[in-house]
Amino acid sequence: MNETTAPSVVNQNTSLILEIPDPVLRFKNTSIWYGANEAVKSVSMGIKNHAITAIIGPSGCGKSTLLRSINRMNDLIPDCHVTGNIYYHDNDIYDKNLDPVLLRRHIGMVFQKPNPFAKSIYQNIAWGAKINGYKGNLDQLVEESLRQAALWDEVKDKLHKSAFALSGGQQQRLCIARAIALKPDILLLDEPTSALDPISTAKIESLLEELKKFFTIIIVTHNMQQAGRISDYTAFMLTGDLVEYNETKKIFFNPTDERTESYISGRFG
Amino acid sequence: MTRQHLAQELDSIRSQVLSMSLLIVENLRKARECVINSDPSLISEIKRTDLEIDALQLSIEDSVTMLIATQQPAARDLREMVALIKILDNLERIGDYAVHFAKASKILAEDPFPRPLDRLIRMSQTCETMLDEAIKAYLNQNESLAVASAEKDDVIDRDHKAFLNEILSLMVDNPARAGQAFKLIQTSTYLERLGDHVTNITEAIVFIITGEHKELNA
Amino acid sequence: MKQTNAVDPKLCKRIHPVNRTIETILAATGIITIGVTIAIVFILGEESIIFFKHVSLRQFFTTFEWQPHIEKFGIWPLLNATITTSLFGMLVALPIGFFTAVFLAEYASNTIKRKIKPVLEILAGIPTVVFGYFALNFITPFLQLVFGKAVSVYNTASAGIAIGILLVPLVASLIEEALSAVPRHLREAAYAVGATKLEVTLGIVVPSALSGIIATILLALSRAFGETMIVAIAAGAGPAFTLNPFKSAETMTGHMARIAGGDLPYDSIDYQSLFAIALFLFFITFFLNLLGRSISKRYMEHYE
Ligand SMILES: Nc1ncnc2c1ncn2[C@@H]1O[C@H](COP(=O)(O)OP(=O)(O)O)[C@@H](O)[C@H]1O
Ligand SMILES: [Mg+2]
């Protein structure tokens, strides 16, 4: 390991947590609490720009909680609070002067269940742009976003039909299109394919591989094979702890921690 | 296009396999030059390249293993990755035999051999052609080319036998040369083995393409 | 299904006497409900048919005078009063109910919710007769204070406003339910594209709850149409066709309550006219309910 540069991420166990030089996002002793329950325990890690970072771990280990802290979605949960810091570039996301509404324009999110608005396909994308004061050509933005989400050809003839008429996989790609229409920096995805069939899943996976050229992607998945297939970096969490964080190849080929090993090899428990 | 990552990685692995085999072919060619000229001066260069070949084997093998670990290959992809491990193993052995072949030039340099070594030379040429064809068969997923490559092993075997007979008769005539003759027999055996390893590779290629284990040169 | 000779006893159909009994009781209650409805329609229809033998549908629907003693049976004065009171009711109930609902569903903290909800429940529990006297003794004087002598002691505006107050708890709680039923993931989706709370509420939550809101409006409307006690007390006695809401006018229900309270001979035309009005009212509310239902159904799958 490189000992000469000062570590940007402070962690007791440097061999388990990979250091990311010049990260776009950085957790520093981030703990997340639901009331008195510490769902995420002092996580420190950096996120690489223009790469796909996967967060894996058994159900309930705090993956979603960690992800939702990044765009301050946890603010919506009354007794949830964060200690430690999360830096987006040099901004502390939880600084009291930071507006979460503006933050979310830079950090988009796609959810587990496809959740298009009760609007037309077109409006699903245009609405976000409009409320964000988009001044350009909306038609163009809609087309561009749908193309980027590999959905344009399937929906171009029914843009003004309800988004609910689409299949689950199409709805999820619409949600991705909706998120990327805002041209965010970071795209957060919380188990985006867990409600989808294998073909739709494969489509979304290849879409994400395309999109990493434009965005930094963080994906939570309880499907570790998916993490293996598409991610460049993998973080393994267990009961709120970040156990190991490294290049996906390393995690899947030769993990350092025994717990990672047994989880990756499906021998958990 | 789905599974781009898998496709890209496989492409990159294939091109690495190609570079590895090109290095081997190059070594074989250099080794032949050494033998023809009874000049061992290229041996150190050949050995250096062989180290490179060995390193390549390991790194490609790791890439394949990582691909298996992360991509859950199935069907043809899976066969290719499993077969690749075998192919790499055989390629590595072929590389070693090329080095051994080159070492024959040392014996010849110490004491020039009184008879022409045409058969031995030709064997090495056939080996080279076989390997070249096998790799082309792999890259193009061409079964008939793989089979054609494997068939040339017969030519090698015939040359090997004929060469042995030549050497044996020489030894009978000239027992003082027994030591040198023995080394040359060994060299010929290396080339014969080399052909067998190429045959193994072609079998692995046929396995990738058809999913069947076929004995290509019994 | 065909009878086969040998079913393994482990798989053989069983007889559940308890289940059977309960199923029968359930079916019976369902049939009773339907039976009662049919009976009501039947009785209304029977008397109405006799009425319409004497009075043409044309007269009923196109004339503007309702004077049973001189055999004038034009529904418009009554219908107009009903529409006026209902309209005032809606003007009061919808905005107040809607904003209360939005506040409760989207903005109020749990502690505030816990304080407001019981107040609404108390309001909903007040007998309508109290609202009637509230209209007469409070709203009307207040209207007179503001608008002067133009406001009669009995008037449709005052009754309508009282109906509106009566309906606020209903409208508020139904709309609140509709808003709360909008799944959290839709709100989250809106927040995730950088929407403010107001944008989420008005741009996403309310449109998503539209079916429930429309159904609520229609339900409130049919309740306003059918409200009797308030109008009987505060709107005035005596049919009058007037577009002035400060004048006294009798609604359909008010008229029925007053006339039925008197001593009418059973087979008089006056008596039968009540059934005709009732049947008409029944159709109106029935139609509103149907409309409400079909609208909710149309938007129903929109959450998923
Ligand atoms: N809204 C919430 N209120 C209270 N506890 C919660 C809430 N959401 C999650 N938790 C708790 O936090 C822990 C982590 O949950 P979560 O982040 O959803 O896990 P994961 O996404 O890895 O399955 C769990 O123990 C869960 O019970
Ligand atoms: Mg989760």
Side-chain angles (χ1 to χ4, degrees):
Chain A
M1 277 280 161
N2 196 342
E3 307 280 13
T4 51
T5 52
S8 58
V9 176
V10 185
N11 202 293
Q12 307 86 318
N13 205 338
T14 40
S15 64
L16 284 173
I17 310 294
L18 178 74
E19 275 176 36
I20 302 289
D22 212 5
V24 60
L25 194 77
R26 188 156 62 86
F27 296 91
K28 193 178 152 206
N29 301 323
T30 307
S31 291
I32 308 171
W33 308 71
Y34 292 108
N37 170 28
E38 192 174 10
V40 169
K41 298 168 188 161
S42 193
V43 164
S44 295
M45 68 189 283
I47 300 292
K48 180 102 161 67
N49 207 1
H50 290 290
I52 300 182
T53 302
I55 305 176
I56 61 170
S59 180
C61 68
K63 308 181 292 292
S64 299
T65 302
L66 185 68
L67 192 77
R68 294 161 58 91
S69 69
I70 300 170
N71 64 345
R72 287 188 56 174
M73 219 48 161
N74 287 336
D75 288 15
L76 305 178
I77 297 166
D79 56 5
C80 180
H81 76 280
V82 174
T83 59
N85 310 84
I86 306 175
Y87 295 101
Y88 166 53
H89 296 298
D90 288 325
N91 309 291
D92 187 340
I93 286 177
Y94 283 85
D95 189 303
K96 64 182 192 311
N97 288 323
L98 185 136
D99 183 353
V101 169
L102 294 175
L103 177 75
R104 292 181 196 129
R105 295 173 188 184
H106 297 277
I107 304 181
M109 187 166 215
V110 175
F111 300 81
Q112 178 168 2
K113 219 175 124 186
N115 55 357
F117 301 135
K119 297 177 187 292
S120 68
I121 293 168
Y122 184 97
Q123 282 302 333
N124 256 278
I125 293 167
W127 189 77
K130 276 190 277 187
I131 59 165
N132 284 304
Y134 182 74
K135 292 286 185 299
N137 182 337
L138 271 180
D139 291 353
Q140 213 174 323
L141 178 74
V142 168
E143 173 168 351
E144 187 185 297
S145 311
L146 286 170
R147 278 191 193 284
Q148 230 179 353
L151 188 61
W152 173 251
D153 290 329
E154 290 158 65
V155 303
K156 61 170 184 266
D157 298 321
K158 46 182 175 183
L159 288 178
H160 298 284
K161 295 258 163 63
S162 165
F164 295 110
L166 299 175
S167 74
Q170 290 173 322
Q171 286 187 11
Q172 195 61 302
R173 275 178 285 150
L174 178 63
C175 292
I176 293 175
R178 176 176 71 191
I180 62 186
L182 301 179
K183 311 240 180 325
D185 230 11
I186 302 176
L187 196 57
L188 309 174
L189 302 105
D190 192 351
E191 299 190 16
T193 62
S194 65
L196 304 181
D197 62 279
I199 299 291
S200 304
T201 299
K203 277 188 186 160
I204 288 187
E205 286 180 1
S206 66
L207 170 60
L208 293 180
E209 285 172 39
E210 275 299 306
L211 290 179
K212 79 173 177 189
K213 288 178 205 145
F214 310 101
F215 311 104
T216 300
I217 293 175
I218 307 176
I219 179 170
V220 161
T221 172
H222 63 199
N223 173 343
M224 63 186 156
Q225 286 82 10
Q226 178 168 66
R229 284 193 296 268
I230 60 172
S231 71
D232 302 296
Y233 297 88
T234 296
F236 170 59
M237 289 182 73
L238 193 61
T239 59
D241 289 308
L242 177 62
V243 172
E244 189 162 351
Y245 175 47
N246 215 316
E247 281 184 56
T248 299
K249 285 179 182 169
K250 166 87 169 98
I251 295 275
F252 278 76
F253 189 48
N254 187 14
T256 307
D257 194 280
E258 253 173 56
R259 292 165 295 174
T260 319
E261 170 100 39
S262 54
Y263 183 74
I264 290 291
S265 50
R267 290 189 186 80
F268 210 69
Chain B
M1 168 78 181
T2 50
R3 307 223 59 178
Q4 277 172 11
H5 185 79
L6 178 61
Q8 278 167 11
E9 290 283 318
L10 256 178
D11 273 353
S12 127
I13 285 173
R14 286 183 192 136
S15 75
Q16 279 175 280
V17 170
L18 175 64
S19 344
M20 182 173 165
S21 65
L22 287 178
L23 288 178
I24 296 172
V25 168
E26 178 65 13
N27 257 5
L28 261 177
R29 201 186 50 71
K30 281 182 188 155
R32 186 165 57 243
E33 219 167 282
C34 294
V35 171
I36 290 173
N37 302 330
S38 302
D39 171 15
S41 64
L42 286 176
I43 287 181
S44 60
E45 201 179 305
I46 290 173
K47 277 185 175 162
R48 232 181 300 124
T49 307
D50 194 52
L51 289 180
E52 228 178 287
I53 291 167
D54 291 353
L56 254 177
Q57 182 215 359
L58 295 181
S59 104
I60 301 173
E61 208 173 275
D62 281 354
S63 303
V64 172
T65 315
M66 279 181 204
L67 218 50
I68 294 173
T70 60
Q71 296 292 325
Q72 304 95 44
R76 189 181 181 128
D77 293 334
L78 178 61
R79 294 201 301 273
E80 176 159 358
M81 290 182 206
V82 173
L84 264 169
I85 304 286
K86 280 194 203 173
I87 292 174
L88 289 165
D89 214 35
N90 281 291
L91 278 177
E92 189 270 334
R93 291 307 301 271
I94 292 171
D96 290 347
Y97 287 130
V99 176
H100 290 319
F101 178 46
K103 281 179 184 160
S105 64
K106 279 189 191 160
I107 312 152
L108 299 173
E110 282 162 12
D111 183 5
F113 197 63
R115 303 254 181 101
L117 291 167
D118 294 356
R119 297 241 181 227
L120 204 59
I121 303 297
R122 205 173 79 185
M123 276 169 81
S124 81
Q125 279 166 335
T126 315
C127 286
E128 204 180 302
T129 316
M130 273 179 83
L131 181 58
D132 186 58
E133 282 179 357
I135 293 305
K136 281 198 180 107
Y138 168 61
L139 295 176
N140 301 320
Q141 300 286 296
N142 182 336
E143 187 185 355
S144 55
L145 191 55
V147 173
S149 162
E151 275 164 0
K152 295 199 172 62
D153 195 38
D154 289 343
V155 181
I156 294 181
D157 286 350
R158 277 199 301 274
D159 278 338
H160 176 56
K161 276 199 190 106
F163 185 67
L164 286 192
N165 287 335
E166 280 173 24
I167 299 280
L168 283 176
S169 67
L170 179 93
M171 275 168 82
V172 173
D173 293 350
N174 194 348
R177 284 204 174 266
Q180 193 184 35
F182 177 71
K183 292 252 166 75
L184 288 174
I185 288 173
Q186 263 188 331
T187 305
S188 175
T189 308
Y190 291 144
L191 292 178
E192 188 271 332
R193 288 278 164 75
L194 197 156
D196 292 345
H197 283 288
V198 180
T199 307
N200 287 346
I201 291 176
T202 59
E203 283 168 0
I205 293 164
V206 171
F207 173 71
I208 297 173
I209 299 168
T210 65
E212 282 165 39
H213 295 286
K214 278 191 206 144
E215 194 74 34
L216 285 189
N217 212 312
Chain C
M1 227 176 292
K2 73 177 189 249
Q3 188 75 41
T4 52
N5 35 6
V7 172
D8 188 325
K10 273 181 281 185
L11 298 172
C12 204
K13 256 188 192 164
R14 290 170 302 169
I15 297 158
H16 304 269
V18 176
N19 288 11
R20 272 286 163 81
T21 318
I22 291 175
E23 278 166 24
T24 314
I25 293 173
L26 292 176
T29 47
I31 289 167
I32 288 172
T33 316
I34 296 169
V36 168
T37 312
I38 291 172
I40 291 174
V41 175
F42 185 76
I43 290 168
L44 290 179
E46 198 183 24
E47 298 286 343
S48 302
I49 286 170
I50 303 173
F51 172 77
F52 282 116
K53 275 186 186 146
H54 291 281
V55 179
S56 70
L57 277 172
R58 188 194 167 100
Q59 189 201 349
F60 188 77
F61 283 115
T62 60
T63 63
F64 290 78
E65 215 175 329
W66 184 276
Q67 301 288 357
H69 55 278
I70 52 168
E71 303 239 329
K72 289 204 165 163
F73 292 104
I75 191 71
W76 277 103
L78 302 177
L79 180 58
N80 180 59
T82 295
I83 290 173
T84 312
T85 52
S86 301
L87 199 69
F88 270 87
M90 294 320 245
L91 283 178
V92 171
L94 292 188
I96 297 179
F98 176 78
F99 287 117
T100 309
V102 168
F103 177 72
L104 284 178
E106 304 296 315
Y107 286 87
S109 69
N110 281 335
T111 43
I112 293 181
K113 254 191 216 175
R114 273 198 291 273
K115 280 178 189 143
I116 292 182
K117 281 208 160 167
V119 174
L120 283 177
E121 274 156 28
I122 289 170
L123 199 59
I126 295 173
T128 53
V129 62
V130 176
F131 280 97
Y133 284 105
F134 179 71
L136 201 58
N137 296 330
F138 185 81
I139 302 175
T140 302
F142 179 76
L143 289 177
Q144 285 170 330
L145 201 70
V146 177
F147 297 101
K149 286 218 169 54
V151 183
S152 322
V153 173
Y154 297 102
N155 65 81
T156 46
S158 166
I161 291 169
I163 290 175
I165 297 169
L166 171 77
L167 291 178
V168 163
L170 176 86
V171 171
S173 66
L174 286 182
I175 293 183
E176 197 237 346
E177 238 169 65
L179 295 176
S180 303
V182 174
R184 202 181 63 161
H185 61 76
L186 272 188
R187 282 166 231 260
E188 288 187 338
Y191 281 115
V193 293
T196 61
K197 182 149 198 165
L198 189 66
E199 286 162 344
V200 173
T201 303
L202 297 182
I204 299 299
V205 179
V206 169
S208 301
L210 207 57
S211 68
I213 294 172
I214 292 173
T216 303
I217 293 172
L218 293 172
L219 182 67
L221 198 58
S222 72
R223 284 286 301 271
F225 264 61
E227 173 48 37
T228 309
M229 195 46 95
I230 296 175
V231 291
I233 293 171
F241 185 83
T242 172
L243 294 177
N244 184 345
F246 293 150
K247 288 266 179 286
S248 142
E250 200 166 47
T251 66
M252 297 193 282
T253 52
H255 179 73
M256 284 160 66
R258 182 168 59 85
I259 300 300
D263 44 357
L264 273 175
Y266 269 140
D267 41 8
S268 69
I269 185 119
D270 290 25
Y271 176 76
Q272 286 144 3
S273 77
L274 297 185
F275 286 87
I277 299 171
L279 186 68
F280 181 48
L281 197 57
F282 174 84
F283 277 130
I284 292 175
T285 47
F286 184 70
F287 172 74
L288 287 176
N289 282 341
L290 276 188
L291 197 66
R293 242 163 212 283
S294 78
I295 287 173
S296 352
K297 209 178 258 168
R298 194 140 63 90
Y299 288 90
M300 194 63 104
E301 63 271 15
H302 273 195
Y303 291 157
E304 285 312 308

